[in-house]
Amino acid sequence: MSDDTLSGWEVVVGLEVHCELRTETKLFCGCRNVFGDEPNTNVCPVCLGLPGSLPVLNKQAVEYAIRIGRALHCRVQPSMFHRKNYFYPDMPKDFQISQYDVPVNADGWLELPSGKRVGIVRAHMEEDTGKTTHVGGGGRIHGAAHSLVDYNRAGVPLVEIVSDPDMRSADEARDYVDELRAILVATGASDGKMEEGSLRVDCNVSIRPQGSTALGTRCEIKNMNSLRSLGRAIVYEASRQVEVLSSGGSVVQETRHWDEADGRTHAMRSKEEAFDYRYFPEPDLVSLAPSQEWVRAVEDALPVLPAERRRRVAEAAGVQAGSEPVATVVRLGLDALVMATVAAKADAALALRRLANEVAGQLAESGVHDIDPDAFVRLVRMEHDGELTSAQARTVLKDFVADGGDPKAIARQLGFEAMGSQELAGAVETVISANPKEWERFSCGDDKLVGFFVGKVKAATGGKADLRAATEMLRRRRGA
Amino acid sequence: MSGPVHAIAADVRSGRRSAAEVLEEHLGRIAEREGSVHAFNLVTADAARQRAEQLDRAVAAGGDPGPLAGVPVALKDLICTRGVPTTCSSRILEGWVPPYDATVVSRLAGAGAVFVGKANMDEFAMGSSTEHSAFGPTRNPHDLARVPGGSSGGSAAAVAAGFAAASLGSDTGGSIRQPAALCGVVGVKPTYGLVSRYGLVAFASSLDQIGPFATTVADAALVLDAIAGHDPRDSTSLPDERAAAGSRLGRGAQGLRVGVIAELAGAEGISADVAARVNEAAEALAAAGAKVEEVSVPSVVYGLSAYYMIAPAEASSNLARYDGVRYGLRKPGADITDMYVATRSAGFGPEVKRRIMLGTYALSAGYYDAYYGKAQKVRTLIIRDFEAAYRSYDVLLSPTSPTTAFELGAKTSDPLTMYLNDVCTIPSNLAGHPAASVPFGTGDDGLPVGVQVLAPALGEPVMFQVAEVLEAAAPSSGGAA
Ligand SMILES: [Zn+2]
């Protein structure tokens, strides 16, 4: 977000993320919950809302919701379901079963890689709607020539995660979604695929004068289907609001639609927006009261989550938890390699540097990795011990990450065998005789010159010399 | 007095009579009188004959079809039957055929019953006279100029006219008990959650309950025991830890404590002859050894008002799905909104529209607390008052309907007068408690009067026990018409 467009203003962002749970079956019936099947094949009287059908709550969905709640440090509480009433052809019952004033999870937080905490208001359960495709009329229902509805998605379990308005930039909002996605995937509750719609993000954007603590009037932005469009939408919307306020107008609280093509947000027509949902308790379901034992068992089975993994890596490598390399290796799932290095008492800081820079860069291009931790640790050790120069180590690492194998064998193949000590001694002698004055000063105690000589040795050997060994040799030679 | 359901099942199981023979007797009565009574939206004679033959073959092969072997049963036309149209007596479901059976249908079939047809009703069970049917009213078999009550008027009339030995109805505010009273048969609304609602087209989900009609108390208990029990498809279904409904039959009333609800016995609108029969019923129980007293259940007087907030509110949501998109009637429109409006305007009758509007209003932003919220508080109050009463009494007694059967058209122009029919029956629905209507003599017009026996949750055994004593003491049977 460029400062000149927002000078004097601060953007305030809160996010509502809908996450599809990857349960075997739907939330209230036994139909399969899968993406991409032939339309209207995973349907039954319940998820089609046929007269006389009744919902029965899916236990696995509740367990996944609890996993999400505890992973977000929420209070898991007795809750109930409500009906949210509105007419739309992709809703078979013309109401959605959702949680309203008493959600299963409330009052948690999520820690961004920067260390900042974003408050979580609630993470509640609800059923998904079917999927409508409007043919003609610009893809909107009004004006469409006809519409096709696929009810395979109707009744798929969702958890909606509502954040506090704690984010202050588009980047922070993206970090939040990224982190939330990592948590959801780690818990096993969701596949986190934004492109398949398993993760859908709406955001509330408002602005306020820098230094103010009051919240401005917010607009809800819908229809962003990637992190990139989320960032663009927030930047656009914030600058739009700045323009409105700067020209003496006021922001109207409304829902706005992000248009990827023109890069703007547009107010949705009031006809599509002015709903009174007439919430009331769902009489076909009983209240949901997970036992403390169950919640504890679900919590105990949670894997180590990204924030804790970052803490462990940072501690192992002796760096700040909020540092970029730490966030990178955890995001890419490379932190196990750092931890393996620590376990082998090798140089974890060096391992972190190599993973966050060279390996991360390489994976960004190739996208795959299956790195043998033991072999990786051996390579870190070879570099640390001077068997390989850092340039050599990086070359070996590249081949190793791409094709696997034994780092020693790769180094040998590349002709990176550490220089024999006799060969090194010859090179050291050559350099001493070529620089008598400097040697004289070094011999008299001017230790700064060690760098000068090591550099000369490096140049003379074409970078193949083990510089640590060369340094030791120079010092021994001076004392002799 | 065990009744025709018991007799038919015993005969068919033992081979004394064939299911086919029993069925033909009933089909014969249908052929004779259905034209004037109009108890059915659909008579499924062919399927019933096939079914009866199948049962007879099973018996001949040494099999036992079950406790309802060969018993002809009518189903209210909002109970889903696979492959057989289920209309709710509404145009909006035109052309819809359920792809599945309601749990009660599977259970009755499993017990050996034979389905004779789908019984007429007030549209979506909204009404007390069966005049609000899109397919024309059902008439009272005792007097064709009069209504059979409602909304399960077809089910009640079918049993009263001998078209079926038993039937199922649904009761949201009295829709089984009131027509049972007006048609002179036994009608039972079970404890909420005792009978699965899976496959019952919903009117008001928190109040709806399926229950039996029969000509005797013992028959009603037998049918109830066949359909009751936990169903994993209904989240509000109760667990199976309970005694059979008929487990206390034949024990008399000695030592039982009976409370006559003061607020209902003397309520405004209760006609003198009905009040007199309730008094006689109370005296009969006292004569049978029960301790009978008047008891106050103060909050029941608010039941009607609370009901007419809660039931329409839930209905407005339950009936939203009839939108022309997926099944049933569709009237074309310029866009989706026009199509919704055209379809629902054409498909629903005036009483259904009235309740949808009432319920939509009650749930609207800004009104929820004043209407729906307050009604739920009344509901809690009623439950509390009943609980207090049941600390001192085993069962409670009241009229079922304020009057005997009224004439067709007498109340259709004034919805409020029609709603008052349910004043005595509604409290049990709000509380989720069981209640039964038992025929007890006739009114000054010679038409049947029903007395209501109310019991606490899962109090069916004692409710049937008392109902049976009343049945035996009743001045005239009032049964078949
Ligand atoms: Zn389904």
Side-chain angles (χ1 to χ4, degrees), chain B residues 324-341:
Chain B
V325 173
R326 288 159 298 273
Y327 48 79
L329 187 73
R330 177 190 291 176
K331 291 285 183 191
D335 63 12
I336 183 87
T337 310
D338 284 351
M339 190 278 281
Y340 285 154
V341 171

PDB file of all heavy atoms in Angstrom, chain B residues 324-341:
ATOM      1  N   GLY B 324     -40.974 -23.317  -6.548  1.00  0.00           N
ATOM      2  CA  GLY B 324     -41.055 -23.537  -7.992  1.00  0.00           C
ATOM      3  C   GLY B 324     -39.738 -23.906  -8.642  1.00  0.00           C
ATOM      4  O   GLY B 324     -39.688 -24.164  -9.843  1.00  0.00           O
ATOM      5  N   VAL B 325     -38.650 -23.931  -7.858  1.00  0.00           N
ATOM      6  CA  VAL B 325     -37.338 -24.188  -8.462  1.00  0.00           C
ATOM      7  C   VAL B 325     -37.107 -25.672  -8.704  1.00  0.00           C
ATOM      8  O   VAL B 325     -36.695 -26.073  -9.790  1.00  0.00           O
ATOM      9  CB  VAL B 325     -36.197 -23.601  -7.593  1.00  0.00           C
ATOM     10  CG1 VAL B 325     -34.826 -24.019  -8.132  1.00  0.00           C
ATOM     11  CG2 VAL B 325     -36.298 -22.084  -7.531  1.00  0.00           C
ATOM     12  N   ARG B 326     -37.387 -26.497  -7.702  1.00  0.00           N
ATOM     13  CA  ARG B 326     -36.962 -27.899  -7.780  1.00  0.00           C
ATOM     14  C   ARG B 326     -38.082 -28.912  -8.034  1.00  0.00           C
ATOM     15  O   ARG B 326     -37.854 -29.944  -8.646  1.00  0.00           O
ATOM     16  CB  ARG B 326     -36.237 -28.294  -6.489  1.00  0.00           C
ATOM     17  CG  ARG B 326     -34.857 -27.678  -6.336  1.00  0.00           C
ATOM     18  CD  ARG B 326     -34.417 -27.660  -4.889  1.00  0.00           C
ATOM     19  NE  ARG B 326     -35.341 -26.842  -4.124  1.00  0.00           N
ATOM     20  CZ  ARG B 326     -35.217 -25.529  -3.980  1.00  0.00           C
ATOM     21  NH1 ARG B 326     -34.180 -24.908  -4.485  1.00  0.00           N
ATOM     22  NH2 ARG B 326     -36.113 -24.824  -3.319  1.00  0.00           N
ATOM     23  N   TYR B 327     -39.273 -28.679  -7.503  1.00  0.00           N
ATOM     24  CA  TYR B 327     -40.352 -29.669  -7.626  1.00  0.00           C
ATOM     25  C   TYR B 327     -41.685 -28.967  -7.411  1.00  0.00           C
ATOM     26  O   TYR B 327     -41.728 -27.820  -6.954  1.00  0.00           O
ATOM     27  CB  TYR B 327     -40.180 -30.807  -6.606  1.00  0.00           C
ATOM     28  CG  TYR B 327     -39.895 -30.320  -5.202  1.00  0.00           C
ATOM     29  CD1 TYR B 327     -40.922 -29.847  -4.399  1.00  0.00           C
ATOM     30  CD2 TYR B 327     -38.595 -30.296  -4.703  1.00  0.00           C
ATOM     31  CE1 TYR B 327     -40.675 -29.371  -3.130  1.00  0.00           C
ATOM     32  CE2 TYR B 327     -38.336 -29.820  -3.421  1.00  0.00           C
ATOM     33  CZ  TYR B 327     -39.372 -29.364  -2.643  1.00  0.00           C
ATOM     34  OH  TYR B 327     -39.117 -28.886  -1.391  1.00  0.00           O
ATOM     35  N   GLY B 328     -42.749 -29.687  -7.704  1.00  0.00           N
ATOM     36  CA  GLY B 328     -44.081 -29.130  -7.478  1.00  0.00           C
ATOM     37  C   GLY B 328     -44.429 -28.088  -8.530  1.00  0.00           C
ATOM     38  O   GLY B 328     -43.851 -28.044  -9.618  1.00  0.00           O
ATOM     39  N   LEU B 329     -45.384 -27.242  -8.140  1.00  0.00           N
ATOM     40  CA  LEU B 329     -45.901 -26.241  -9.072  1.00  0.00           C
ATOM     41  C   LEU B 329     -44.842 -25.216  -9.458  1.00  0.00           C
ATOM     42  O   LEU B 329     -44.032 -24.814  -8.624  1.00  0.00           O
ATOM     43  CB  LEU B 329     -47.076 -25.522  -8.389  1.00  0.00           C
ATOM     44  CG  LEU B 329     -47.889 -24.547  -9.243  1.00  0.00           C
ATOM     45  CD1 LEU B 329     -48.765 -25.301 -10.232  1.00  0.00           C
ATOM     46  CD2 LEU B 329     -48.748 -23.663  -8.340  1.00  0.00           C
ATOM     47  N   ARG B 330     -44.826 -24.813 -10.736  1.00  0.00           N
ATOM     48  CA  ARG B 330     -44.035 -23.641 -11.126  1.00  0.00           C
ATOM     49  C   ARG B 330     -44.860 -22.801 -12.089  1.00  0.00           C
ATOM     50  O   ARG B 330     -45.336 -23.281 -13.103  1.00  0.00           O
ATOM     51  CB  ARG B 330     -42.732 -24.030 -11.801  1.00  0.00           C
ATOM     52  CG  ARG B 330     -41.955 -22.782 -12.265  1.00  0.00           C
ATOM     53  CD  ARG B 330     -40.764 -23.105 -13.146  1.00  0.00           C
ATOM     54  NE  ARG B 330     -39.719 -23.773 -12.395  1.00  0.00           N
ATOM     55  CZ  ARG B 330     -38.602 -24.230 -12.967  1.00  0.00           C
ATOM     56  NH1 ARG B 330     -38.401 -24.080 -14.251  1.00  0.00           N
ATOM     57  NH2 ARG B 330     -37.690 -24.840 -12.229  1.00  0.00           N
ATOM     58  N   LYS B 331     -45.040 -21.535 -11.710  1.00  0.00           N
ATOM     59  CA  LYS B 331     -45.712 -20.589 -12.601  1.00  0.00           C
ATOM     60  C   LYS B 331     -44.637 -19.675 -13.167  1.00  0.00           C
ATOM     61  O   LYS B 331     -43.843 -19.122 -12.401  1.00  0.00           O
ATOM     62  CB  LYS B 331     -46.749 -19.752 -11.826  1.00  0.00           C
ATOM     63  CG  LYS B 331     -47.958 -20.557 -11.365  1.00  0.00           C
ATOM     64  CD  LYS B 331     -48.876 -20.852 -12.534  1.00  0.00           C
ATOM     65  CE  LYS B 331     -50.133 -21.607 -12.055  1.00  0.00           C
ATOM     66  NZ  LYS B 331     -50.895 -22.121 -13.212  1.00  0.00           N
ATOM     67  N   PRO B 332     -44.596 -19.522 -14.491  1.00  0.00           N
ATOM     68  CA  PRO B 332     -43.514 -18.726 -15.075  1.00  0.00           C
ATOM     69  C   PRO B 332     -43.577 -17.261 -14.656  1.00  0.00           C
ATOM     70  O   PRO B 332     -44.644 -16.733 -14.347  1.00  0.00           O
ATOM     71  CB  PRO B 332     -43.747 -18.872 -16.586  1.00  0.00           C
ATOM     72  CG  PRO B 332     -45.142 -19.367 -16.735  1.00  0.00           C
ATOM     73  CD  PRO B 332     -45.501 -20.082 -15.478  1.00  0.00           C
ATOM     74  N   GLY B 333     -42.403 -16.622 -14.658  1.00  0.00           N
ATOM     75  CA  GLY B 333     -42.315 -15.199 -14.339  1.00  0.00           C
ATOM     76  C   GLY B 333     -41.166 -14.607 -15.126  1.00  0.00           C
ATOM     77  O   GLY B 333     -40.325 -15.341 -15.652  1.00  0.00           O
ATOM     78  N   ALA B 334     -41.131 -13.276 -15.192  1.00  0.00           N
ATOM     79  CA  ALA B 334     -40.122 -12.592 -16.002  1.00  0.00           C
ATOM     80  C   ALA B 334     -38.720 -12.857 -15.465  1.00  0.00           C
ATOM     81  O   ALA B 334     -37.754 -12.985 -16.214  1.00  0.00           O
ATOM     82  CB  ALA B 334     -40.395 -11.089 -16.032  1.00  0.00           C
ATOM     83  N   ASP B 335     -38.599 -12.918 -14.143  1.00  0.00           N
ATOM     84  CA  ASP B 335     -37.308 -13.263 -13.547  1.00  0.00           C
ATOM     85  C   ASP B 335     -37.569 -14.144 -12.332  1.00  0.00           C
ATOM     86  O   ASP B 335     -38.715 -14.525 -12.062  1.00  0.00           O
ATOM     87  CB  ASP B 335     -36.487 -12.006 -13.199  1.00  0.00           C
ATOM     88  CG  ASP B 335     -37.184 -11.147 -12.157  1.00  0.00           C
ATOM     89  OD1 ASP B 335     -38.175 -11.625 -11.534  1.00  0.00           O
ATOM     90  OD2 ASP B 335     -36.761 -10.000 -11.946  1.00  0.00           O
ATOM     91  N   ILE B 336     -36.518 -14.448 -11.597  1.00  0.00           N
ATOM     92  CA  ILE B 336     -36.669 -15.413 -10.498  1.00  0.00           C
ATOM     93  C   ILE B 336     -37.662 -14.917  -9.451  1.00  0.00           C
ATOM     94  O   ILE B 336     -38.493 -15.675  -8.952  1.00  0.00           O
ATOM     95  CB  ILE B 336     -35.284 -15.745  -9.870  1.00  0.00           C
ATOM     96  CG1 ILE B 336     -35.386 -16.794  -8.776  1.00  0.00           C
ATOM     97  CG2 ILE B 336     -34.586 -14.518  -9.318  1.00  0.00           C
ATOM     98  CD1 ILE B 336     -35.316 -18.200  -9.255  1.00  0.00           C
ATOM     99  N   THR B 337     -37.616 -13.638  -9.126  1.00  0.00           N
ATOM    100  CA  THR B 337     -38.523 -13.098  -8.108  1.00  0.00           C
ATOM    101  C   THR B 337     -39.976 -13.206  -8.570  1.00  0.00           C
ATOM    102  O   THR B 337     -40.853 -13.623  -7.809  1.00  0.00           O
ATOM    103  CB  THR B 337     -38.166 -11.633  -7.794  1.00  0.00           C
ATOM    104  OG1 THR B 337     -36.761 -11.566  -7.542  1.00  0.00           O
ATOM    105  CG2 THR B 337     -38.907 -11.137  -6.580  1.00  0.00           C
ATOM    106  N   ASP B 338     -40.217 -12.845  -9.826  1.00  0.00           N
ATOM    107  CA  ASP B 338     -41.570 -12.959 -10.376  1.00  0.00           C
ATOM    108  C   ASP B 338     -42.046 -14.409 -10.354  1.00  0.00           C
ATOM    109  O   ASP B 338     -43.210 -14.690 -10.072  1.00  0.00           O
ATOM    110  CB  ASP B 338     -41.605 -12.453 -11.824  1.00  0.00           C
ATOM    111  CG  ASP B 338     -41.567 -10.939 -11.888  1.00  0.00           C
ATOM    112  OD1 ASP B 338     -41.685 -10.305 -10.814  1.00  0.00           O
ATOM    113  OD2 ASP B 338     -41.412 -10.391 -12.994  1.00  0.00           O
ATOM    114  N   MET B 339     -41.125 -15.323 -10.677  1.00  0.00           N
ATOM    115  CA  MET B 339     -41.487 -16.744 -10.685  1.00  0.00           C
ATOM    116  C   MET B 339     -41.864 -17.193  -9.280  1.00  0.00           C
ATOM    117  O   MET B 339     -42.872 -17.878  -9.078  1.00  0.00           O
ATOM    118  CB  MET B 339     -40.323 -17.572 -11.238  1.00  0.00           C
ATOM    119  CG  MET B 339     -40.644 -19.037 -11.514  1.00  0.00           C
ATOM    120  SD  MET B 339     -40.559 -20.078 -10.055  1.00  0.00           S
ATOM    121  CE  MET B 339     -38.775 -20.302  -9.943  1.00  0.00           C
ATOM    122  N   TYR B 340     -41.057 -16.787  -8.279  1.00  0.00           N
ATOM    123  CA  TYR B 340     -41.381 -17.115  -6.880  1.00  0.00           C
ATOM    124  C   TYR B 340     -42.788 -16.623  -6.545  1.00  0.00           C
ATOM    125  O   TYR B 340     -43.616 -17.344  -5.988  1.00  0.00           O
ATOM    126  CB  TYR B 340     -40.419 -16.408  -5.918  1.00  0.00           C
ATOM    127  CG  TYR B 340     -39.018 -16.970  -5.808  1.00  0.00           C
ATOM    128  CD1 TYR B 340     -37.961 -16.127  -5.411  1.00  0.00           C
ATOM    129  CD2 TYR B 340     -38.724 -18.313  -6.032  1.00  0.00           C
ATOM    130  CE1 TYR B 340     -36.670 -16.607  -5.256  1.00  0.00           C
ATOM    131  CE2 TYR B 340     -37.439 -18.797  -5.887  1.00  0.00           C
ATOM    132  CZ  TYR B 340     -36.405 -17.943  -5.493  1.00  0.00           C
ATOM    133  OH  TYR B 340     -35.137 -18.417  -5.341  1.00  0.00           O
ATOM    134  N   VAL B 341     -43.026 -15.358  -6.849  1.00  0.00           N
ATOM    135  CA  VAL B 341     -44.293 -14.722  -6.462  1.00  0.00           C
ATOM    136  C   VAL B 341     -45.473 -15.391  -7.170  1.00  0.00           C
ATOM    137  O   VAL B 341     -46.471 -15.730  -6.544  1.00  0.00           O
ATOM    138  CB  VAL B 341     -44.249 -13.202  -6.761  1.00  0.00           C
ATOM    139  CG1 VAL B 341     -45.630 -12.587  -6.562  1.00  0.00           C
ATOM    140  CG2 VAL B 341     -43.214 -12.510  -5.868  1.00  0.00           C
TER     141      VAL B 341
END
